[in-house]
């Protein structure tokens, strides 16, 4: 379970990296910046989705 928690935060790390990529490409290549922003949204969604799913899984196992 500890490894799973590390991967939760890896999604946030990737979101920050893609946000940095989007900011640096915004003035030059706007289409690629939009793609990076889509990955930011996806990584953020995956962080919260996986965190919520693992919490439900732990609660189900404790019953």
């Amino acid at each position: 379970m500890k490894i799973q928690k590390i991967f939760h935060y890896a999604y946030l790390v990737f979101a920050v990296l893609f946000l940095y990529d989007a900011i640096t490409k915004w003035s030059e290549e706007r289409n690629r910046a939009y793609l990076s922003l889509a990955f930011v949204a996806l990584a953020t969604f995956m962080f919260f989705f996986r965190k919520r799913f693992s919490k439900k899984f732990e609660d189900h196992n404790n019953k």
Side-chain angles (χ1 to χ4, degrees), residues 1 10-11 14-15 23-26 31 34 37-38 51-56 63:
M1 288 296 182
Y11 286 118
F14 281 113
I23 291 170
T24 57
K25 290 182 180 177
W26 186 260
N31 287 334
Y34 287 137
L37 289 175
K51 191 169 183 180
R52 184 175 181 208
F53 183 76
S54 66
K55 183 174 176 161
K56 281 185 177 183
K63 287 184 180 181

Side-chain angles (χ1 to χ4, degrees), residues 9-27:
Y9 293 105
Y11 286 118
L12 288 181
V13 170
F14 281 113
V16 169
L17 291 174
F18 280 119
L19 183 62
Y20 173 76
D21 186 50
I23 291 170
T24 57
K25 290 182 180 177
W26 186 260
S27 62

Side-chain angles (χ1 to χ4, degrees), residues 7-16 18 36-54:
F7 282 112
H8 290 298
Y9 293 105
Y11 286 118
L12 288 181
V13 170
F14 281 113
V16 169
F18 280 119
S36 292
L37 289 175
F39 282 128
V40 168
L42 180 66
T44 305
F45 169 76
M46 286 301 295
F47 169 74
F48 288 112
F49 177 76
R50 294 288 235 165
K51 191 169 183 180
R52 184 175 181 208
F53 183 76
S54 66

